[in-house]
Structures are given as structure tokens and as C-alpha cells.
Amino acid sequence: MGKKTKQIAIYGKGGIGKSTTTSNISAALVEAGYKVMQFGCDPKADSTNTLRGGEYIPSVLDLLRENSRVDAHDAIFQGFRGVYCVEAGGPQPGVGCAGRGIITAVQLLKQQDIFEELDLDYVIFDVLGDVVCGGFAVPVREGIAEHVFTISSADFMAIYAANNLFRGIQTYSNKGGALLGGVIANSINTDFHREIIDDFVEKTQTQVVEYVPRSLTVTQAELQGKTTIEAAPHSEQAGIYRRLAKRIAGHTESKVPSPLDAKELRAWSAGWADQLIEIERRSERLVANA
Amino acid sequence: MSIVETKIRDLPPASLAPAKTNSIEQIRYGCAIGALQSVAAIPRAIPITHCGPGCADKQFMNLAFYNGFQGGGYGGGAVVPSTNASEREVVFGGAERLSELIESGLKILDADLFVVLTGCISDLVGDDIGAVVRPFQERGIPIVYAETGGFKGNNFTGHELVTRAIIDQFVGDYAGEQQTGVVNLWSLLPYHNTFWRGDLTEIKRVLEGAGLQVNVLFGPESKGVSEWKAIPTAQFNLVVGPWLGLSTARHLEHKYGQPFLHVPVLPIGSNETARFLREVLDFAGITAGPARDKAEAFIADEEARYYKYLEDFTDFYAEYWWGLPAKFAVIGDATYNLALTRFLVNQLGLIPARQIITDNPPDEFREEIRAQYRRIADDVATEVDFEEDSYAIHQSLRQTDFGHKPPIIFGTTWERDLAKELKGVIIEVGFPTSYEVVLSRSYVGYRGALTLLEKIYSTIVSRSA
Amino acid sequence: MPINLKTAVVETREQRLGTIIGWDGKASDLSHESAYARGGCASKCGPKARRICELRGPFTQGSICSEQMVECQAGNVRDAVLIQHSPIGCGAGQVIYNSIFRNGLAMRGLPVQNLHLISTNLREKDMVFGGIAKLEQTIRDAWERHHPKAIFIGTSCATGIIGDDVESVATALEAELGIPVIPLHCEGFKSKHWSTGFDATQHGILRQIVRKNPEKKQEDLVNVINLWGSDVFSPILGELGLRVNYVVDMATVDELAQMSEAAATVGFCYTLSSYLAAGLEQEFGVPEVKAPMPYGFAGTDAWLREIARVTNREGKAEDYIRNEHARVKPKLAELREKLKGKKGYVATGSAYAHGLIGVLRELGVEVDGSLVFHHDPVYDSQDPREDSLAHLIDQYGEVDNFTVGNRQQYQFFALLQRVKPDFIIIRHNGLAPLAARLGIPAIPLGDEHHAVGYQGMLNLGESILDVLAHKKYHQDLAAHTKLPYKKWWLDQKDPFLFARSV
């Protein structure tokens, strides 16, 4: 006891590779000898699957549904090299309140002093999507995560979600909330992708922490129910994840981002769309000429 | 020009008043689910609440208990079934829980009508209440639902939502005849108005004395659900009060082609009541002939009795040595505020110093309400304020010029200490009235007016020594 | 760590203590299933809480919520303001608690005033866009209007669901205004039992009001955790040369702050005092008096002796105990004579009921049934000397029909049929009207100190005689009213017919 647990939140639009990336970061950190907990904040409750051989674990809210009192230990499972896995869980789509579910689950662990008890070095919250309501903002509030990273591809919808998150961070920033560490650029395979992301982080005054390419190695590992770190420890992709984890671990100074407002965002994306169309046209011409 | 009118200009300029904010201190109404009391006001109807564990208790204890100690009645109070929604219903949704509550409630409770009311929890997490209730309705069970989450408005709003739900889901369609001389009465908000039971009884009595048949719908004089079922058969709807009930009447006009009469002033005293009855009779088409003669005979008889008492009261009113208050303020909901102000000005010749309406009437009605105060008597006009925050209300009363004598304040328990501070007299006439025990007492019509005089002047006299 | 003051949100009773709200059986069985009797527990149980099988059924009637308990505690601090961050409906509670507050002040000889509660009056669009700006405005209004010594913020179901970040605004305004601004998380849905609301208030007071490093100790000051009851503790503790610091209701912020300077903390009901007393001991070293509650001879004797021991006043206590026994016993004998053959039923909060049943047995009144609104298998201190149920059973014997239920009127009919009492003692609304319609009069214990100590036995005896005379009214009423329950249900013997054990 006594050391300060570093708490990090990673946000990203659904389907962007958020859980994959987060799980690889967690795996890389345990591999490096740290005590790590990954806390999935998504009603689907599958954030930690690849840390546990593809296996689902009962969520905090599953336990709450069944019992009048919940011992937080019942919701904590160990996976790859002892990494602690927790899933907040949540309701079926279309009913109840997923946001409240996250509030409840996070409070439960905090009240039972779990992070201190497990003597953790890192807690990594893997949070769904953009900040749609108060519940999804819980990890960026005072006293929970200090640093937030967002995962985004060069896809406009993913960037919208990132921009939304920046707005949430801005809201809480003057009230002791978390600050932005930067963007994890995912599925970046072309220079063009890279340019889009670079331009976005420049406009919003943040930084790219790492460029992660799309890779078949990741898909193969996932099919085995494993992280890339576990399934292909010597692959180039594993090296990228380790570098990313190291950067996140070493990261100390986060900032308040400057999100684009709705009009700016539209203008920005329209500008890039024009270039995109131009590139497509050129490539079509190439195909036609061939 | 009357004295009163010149006084209006002495009101403090608006800049002295604190800027209006969202804050409400010392509340003067409940929230929409408070309309569970409107259900409890229908004989043999039981509300079923789908809300947090405290909502039903809170609305009941405050609207019905610490407000004249009216009590819960047959299906109200602590009997009210509730899901007592927990974290589980919040996170996972509460539809199943509500369904099991209704199903088991049907085995236990003996009622003619169930009304499901939802609270903030259900309305926020988006439980599909219609889908829960409809299968019960299809089984022929008398059950309806209204979504009354507290953030949707106050218990006046809730009352209209519940009334509408019962009409649309329980009373249903009707294409038959309408019966001349039968009237549906829409007036005081049950329980919130501390004297509603006695008052509705008196209104029904005078209307029936004038030859009409009245569906009073709420309270001890109501015949319960059979009366509600009879709503479409009435000749017309009668809305008594400045605004509450108007949207219901408009809905009924649309739904059943029933006309409605809107009388903004709840009548207190002989003159007001006679005028009220004649207006209703005219609207009902009873303008001449034996029916009208009979009605006029009733009015004359009531009037004679009323003035006999008033004559005796005059000895006191004219001769009481120690002085009586001259200026008054009324702090209360629009219906009682307007009714009392008219009576106090026109019958007793008191001077209105400050009138504040506290039930947050919808904006569309406010101009007409203001106009009512500007013609409160032939020679008296006054202004009315709309305010719900007691801090602002009390600041306004402190800045009011009540002249050389202590004022009389018609208000609520919240004005008790303020009346002392102003060295005046407090008559608690509205929610919350925590220092009166009220059973059948009424302050309206012929009989109620006399009771009101007794109350006002007993309070004053008992303070003398 | 038994009490966790690090987070702003209090842990619910069911989480901390394993509180239940549905159970039916013999008092001794419940005692046996509770933590004190079992001692050790399987690892599943966490540090404190114990699991007792609980009865849960589909039909429930309106309960009470934690926010109401925050209103009746934090809202009753004389020079503070409580903001209800909620839609207007939660604010309806201002009416009842104002009335109780005023009567309490009058009874205690304090200046009568209205309580200071302000609703943020949230509307539909605040549900969508968040209510924080309104909360900030209302905090400023509270400050401008009243210049309070502290501002409490009670949350609501609505703000809990939309996830308003109350802490952030409280922290910012606390720094700006220079007074404690204290969020109390008391969403109704968070706990199945309202007593979590006591804990929520006490949690906030421990975190943000109680003086952290008291410069002086007041060795003759005793914190008495109570509600609005009459001042019976000053005369009793005065005999020991002790002064009383009543908390939380009707105290000032400074009186709350000085709790850390006191020599000890006592209560009249562990349901109410458990959290605060344990927190004061854990965080500030103020010893909690761990003894049976002060009801009946044995309980009051032990309670006084423990106070005397903790505050080093043993000799004075023995004199007082001797004198009081001598004074009270002859009068008690007279009352026992008058109450011979009478049967009572207690329906109150949990620990309080344990005390009252003892007093009735001292009075020679038969008690073979009781309904408590919840049951805590253990209190926060976990000290067996506080096991009020075991004390009851050890001193006064079995209670055959002991029921736990959160004020469910529909079950109360069958419960009363089992034992057919001559009168009931009750503290919460809702049950007495049913008893009344059965011809059974009720003693509503508005003054919660009525039965405390030696004199309390006489007080309660006199009150029973008064209320028995009421019987005429109730029997007349019973002949003329009907209950809203189907005959089939009223014929059922088992009030938990629909429930299953979970």
C-alpha cells in the first residue's frame, strides 16, 4: 500500500478496436511486471475477453441483479499473467440505463477500496463510445482517471466521437476532472490516414501517442481469444503495442483539448472529404486506364 | 378612482425584487406523481406507483397529511402500491417489476379502478408502461396509466394527465345521447386544496339546489367510477376556476362533442354564488319556465338565510371596539386566490395589498387571470403576481405597504412566522396548511362563506388578549 | 477499513451491514442468524456484513427513501441550508419536516423557525442537458439569502440517473464561499432501506464538518445522536457531571464540528447512531459508548455504567442508579397493576423496537409480536455489546412473532390477527390507520425519547393507559369502515404468502 495507482481511461467509438488496443496495453503492462486491472465500461461486457482466452466473466451489474449485496471480489477475475479483469456490464439494448450502470459499478469498487487492496499500479477503464450521458463521463471525473486517451481511426465518425469526448473533458477539466493524454491512432495504414489524424490533433491541440496499423496478426490473435502480446509476442504488432503501453505508462502531463465546435467540425471534414473524393477519382482513373 | 388603485403605484419597482432563479424555497406544490392523490380522491380507486421508494409517501404525507391532516382515505396513503424501484430497476429497466406488482396487487386489493403513475426513474430509463398495462386492459381489468415523472411538472399537471388517462383509457368512446341538465364539474385540485372535500360538496349542493344533476367525480360526494363512466352522457362540462380543468374540458369537447362553460371565479358568498348559478343555468338552457322558477326560489331561499346570519354578524363587524384589519394579502393557488380576493373586496370591503398566485399556471392563462384582478370590483382594480419561490414571496410581502394597521394574510404555514414579523394575522387557506385540522369544512358557496367569516374573525378576536 | 470516508458516496446499509427488509420468525432465530451470534463468517460476507435469507415478494406498498432521512437530518441543522437537487416533488418533504422541526424546536426551548430547504426545481430539459448549472445557481441563492454556516446538497433519483457531477460543483463553491458545501448521495433507488439516508448525512458531516484536528478536548461533553426528542439526556447525564451535545437534528454547524472534541458518543437507537458513532471513534478517537440501549432497568444501568466508565465517573453513576431504582420501582409497581393482562405490539424502526419491547415487559405488558422496519445483522462498530436484539432476548425472553418488513400495510392485518394486541406502539405513518380500522389504538411516539431511561418506563406506562381509553373511538370506527383488501387476502394467515426466500 501507499503507492498511487495510476488510473487511465481509454475511450473510443464502438467497433474501432478499442477493447483490442486496451487489452494489448494491459497485457504489455503486466508483461512488464506491473499490477494492472482492466475495467470494461460497456454494457456488452466483452472488454476483457482476450485477456482471458475469449471467456466472458460475470459483470458487476450481473451480480447486482442477482444479489442484494455484492462483494466486489466476486466480480474480479484474473487473466493473462495475473491481469485483473472487471466488467461493469449493463442492461439489454433498449431498456434501463447503461450510464447509471457504469456509475454504480465504479462506485462499488471504490467503496470497497479494491484498488488499494490489490495494490495496483494501473487501472485502465475501457469505455464505450462518445460521452452520451453523465454515466459515461464517470471515468473522466474528479478522483477517478487522471489521464484519458481516445482511440480513433481516420474515419470521420470515429473522429466525431473523439471530438465529443474532448468536449466532455473540457467540461470537467476546470472541476478537477481528467485531462487528455492524446489520441491513439488506430488502423492507420496509409499516409493519407495519417495526415487526417495529424491534422485533427493539431486543430484540437493534442497529440498522437502512437500510430497502430491494421494487422492480420491482431485478427488471428483475436480468433484464438488472445491478445497479440500473448498470441504473437514476437510480432511487429506486439512491438507496437509494447511501445504504446510504455508511452502511456510513462505519460505524465495531460492537457485540456480544444474540441472543434459543430460548424468547425463540419467544415473540417468537408475539406478532407473533397480531397478524399479527388484521390478516389484519381485511383478510378488509374483503374480505368489499366 | 378608488384609493386602492392609487395604491398600486406604491408597489416597489421590479428592480428591488431579487432576480428570479430556478430555486424554490418552501414549496407550494408537489410534482406530477402527486396526482396519486387525485386517484385516491375517487371513491374505490387505487393508485399504483412505479417510482422510487419515497415518492408515494412523500406526496401523500405532504399533500394529504401535513396539509389539514386530511388522511389517506380508502385507497390512498400508505396503501398505495409501489414498485419501490431500486438500482436494479434503474439499470435493467423496471417493466417486469411493475408487471408483477400489478398482477399480485389484483389478488390483494379490492378496487373499481387502478391508475398506474410513473415517477422520474421510469420516465428517465424509458420503461414502456403502455406495453405493461395494455395486456391487463385487454383482460378487462379497469386499469389505466399516466406518465407522471416529477420533472414533467407539478401536481396540477399530473392531475390533468391522470384525468386524461382515465377518460381515454377507461371511460372510452361514446356516441350516444347527452342528457340535459347533467353537468361534469372540474374545479379544485383534490387534497392540494385543503378544503376541497367541503368545497366540492357545497358546489354540488348549490348546483343541485338549482336543479342540475352533478358528476362531482372526486371526493365524498362522488359515486365513484360509475360517475366517471357517465361523463360522456352529461350535457356539458363546467370548469370552475381560472385555469385548472380547462384542458380537460377542451379534450372532452373534442372527444365527445360536449360543450363547456368556464367560470373563472369559484363563488364565495351570496352574490357570487347567485351570479354563478344564473350563469350555469343560462348555459344549460334553463332560462325560463318552471325549472328556472324553482332554481330562482332556491337562490332566494339561500340568500335569505345567508343575509340573516350576515345581519347578526354586522353587530360585531360594525361595533367591535378593538379594530379589525383593513388590508389583506392572499398567497395561494389561482383558484382560491381569485375567489378569496373577490369575496374579501366585494363582500367585506377589505383592501387588497398583495396578491400572489403560486401554482404556476400555464402562460396562456396568465393574461386573462391578470384581467380578472384588474376588474376585481366595479371600483377596485389590483395587480397580481405569479411567484412560486417563498423567499421571493416573503420579500415581496415585507415590501408591501399594509398601511397603519396590521395586515391579514391569507396564506399557508410558510407565512406563519412572517405574519408574526409583520404583526399581522395568518389564516392558513392553502397548501401547506399544517396548523389546521380539516374535515368537511368549506369556505365557498353560501355556507362556506359564513364559515370563512367565522374563521377569519375568530382568529382575530382570539388574539386580542 | 470499517467506514470508508474516502469516497463521497456512502456505502449502503445492505452493502455494509447486510441489512434486510423481509423476514418472519422467532426473535431468537433472527438473532442467531445475525452476525453477532455467528461470529465468524464465510469469506463471501466481506468485512462486516452478514447474509441472512430474506423474504421478497412481488407486491409492495410505498416505502420511504434515503433522501427523506437526509431532509430530516441535514435539513434540520439550524444554521445550514439543505439544497434538494431534484425535480420539485422531492421538495414536498419540506412540509412534513418543517412541521416536525418547528414542534421539535418548541419542545427543546429553541427559537422556532422554518427550515431552510431549497429545491433546484429540475425540469424536463435539465434531465436532457444536465442540472449542474441550476445547482450552482441554487448554491449561490442559498448563500445570498441565508449566509449559512454550511450548505448540504441532497441528490435525487433523477440526478443520480442522469449522472450530474455534484462533487465538482460542490468543491468549486466550497472554495469560493469558504464554507463546507457537502454533497450527500441519497438517491432513493440506491438502497432498499431508508436508514441509508442517515448514513449519507453522517458520512458528509464526518467528511466535511467535524473539526479535523481539535485543539482542545471537552472532557465533559457527550455527543448524543438523536432526532427531535425532548431534552431527557441533559438531566440524566448532568447527574454524572456531563454536558450534552445533541446531534444531528436542531444542532448548529459548530455543534456538529465540535463532535471531535467530545469525551464520548451515545445514542438512543443504534439504527440511527451506528454510522456516526463508529466514524467518530475511527477517525477522531472519540469513544462510542458500547452498551445496551437505555431502555428498562438492565439496559439503562449498563448504558450509564459504560458512559461513566468511558468518562471516568463511575462513582456518580452508582449513586444515580441507586436513587433512580428506588424512585421508579414503586411507581412501576402501580403501573404494572393497572396494565395487568394487557397485550402490546411494537411496530417501529429496528433497534428502537428492541428497546421498547423491553420497556413493555418491564411494565408487565405481554408482547408476543413485533414488526421492525428492517434488520441490521450487525452495527458498524461490530461490538457485541451493541447487539440490541440479543440483549432483548437475554433480558426479557423470546418474542414469538418477530417480523421484518418495511412498513407493508397489507401484511400488517395478518400480523395483528396472529397476536390480537390491545394496543400498538408505532413511529412511522401508514400502519396505525389500519390498526385503527380494526379497533386497535396506537401510541404514535413523536417524541422518540419518551421511553428512554428509568423515567421512560413510567412515561410509556402512562401513555398506554391514555391510549387504551381511545379504544372506544377505534371500535366505533371499526364498525363503520372497510379495508381496501379483498376478503381472500384478509383470510390468509401468512403475510408472506407471495414471498420467496432470497
Side-chain angles (χ1 to χ4, degrees), chain C residues 282-334:
Chain C
Q282 176 188 302
E283 299 288 319
F284 304 98
V286 177
E288 174 183 11
V289 170
K290 299 177 191 79
M293 300 180 301
Y295 298 95
F297 285 109
T300 308
D301 292 352
W303 181 80
L304 279 166
R305 286 188 177 119
E306 184 59 16
I307 293 175
R309 193 188 64 77
V310 169
T311 60
N312 304 313
R313 285 162 165 83
E314 278 101 333
K316 285 179 177 171
E318 292 308 323
D319 292 346
Y320 178 64
I321 291 168
R322 202 168 36 248
N323 292 341
E324 282 293 279
H325 278 243
R327 179 181 75 82
V328 164
K329 276 180 176 158
K331 294 182 182 171
L332 189 68
E334 285 174 35

Side-chain angles (χ1 to χ4, degrees), chain B residues 302-314 450:
Chain B
E302 288 289 322
E303 200 165 274
R305 192 173 297 106
Y306 178 86
Y307 281 104
K308 177 71 192 108
Y309 281 112
L310 219 60
E311 195 183 344
D312 296 345
F313 166 74
T314 306
L450 300 177

Side-chain angles (χ1 to χ4, degrees), chain A residues 88-245:
Chain A
Q92 296 298 309
V95 294
C97 181
R100 178 68 210 176
I102 294 175
I103 299 177
T104 307
V106 173
Q107 271 175 9
L108 192 98
L109 264 75
K110 282 182 68 85
Q111 282 169 343
Q112 297 186 19
D113 272 330
I114 294 297
F115 303 159
E116 289 85 345
E117 185 195 308
L118 297 178
D119 199 22
L120 296 173
D121 297 298
Y122 293 95
V123 179
I124 305 182
F125 295 92
D126 174 13
V127 195
L128 170 69
D130 46 358
V131 184
V132 291
C133 69
F136 288 90
V138 160
V140 301
R141 287 193 200 163
E142 187 189 3
I144 303 191
E146 304 102 308
H147 305 287
V148 182
F149 296 88
T150 180
I151 300 188
S152 181
S153 66
D155 179 69
F156 288 129
M157 294 318 288
I159 287 176
Y160 284 166
N163 192 64
N164 260 349
L165 172 71
F166 293 0
R167 287 163 69 175
I169 293 172
Q170 202 180 32
T171 306
Y172 287 105
S173 62
N174 57 356
K175 296 170 186 157
L179 299 181
L180 184 68
V183 174
I184 300 164
N186 200 31
S187 303
I188 304 298
N189 287 49
T190 69
D191 289 346
F192 185 64
H193 289 152
R194 198 170 170 134
E195 281 168 38
I196 293 179
I197 283 282
D198 284 347
D199 188 39
F200 175 69
V201 298
E202 194 195 321
K203 291 274 187 311
T204 53
Q205 293 173 28
T206 179
Q207 56 170 347
V208 171
V209 192
E210 184 61 75
Y211 302 94
V212 183
R214 193 194 301 274
S215 154
L216 207 56
T217 320
V218 177
T219 319
Q220 284 164 341
E222 299 249 301
L223 287 172
Q224 299 171 46
K226 288 178 179 165
T227 59
T228 308
I229 300 278
E230 185 181 1
H234 306 299
S235 64
E236 191 189 343
Q237 191 78 3
I240 294 171
Y241 283 130
R242 284 195 193 100
R243 197 166 65 213
L244 170 61

Side-chain angles (χ1 to χ4, degrees), chain B residues 265-287:
Chain B
V265 184
L266 176 68
I268 305 180
S270 184
N271 290 328
E272 292 289 345
T273 311
R275 182 170 27 237
F276 164 75
L277 289 176
R278 290 189 177 113
E279 192 178 345
V280 178
L281 288 164
D282 289 347
F283 190 83
I286 307 169
T287 50

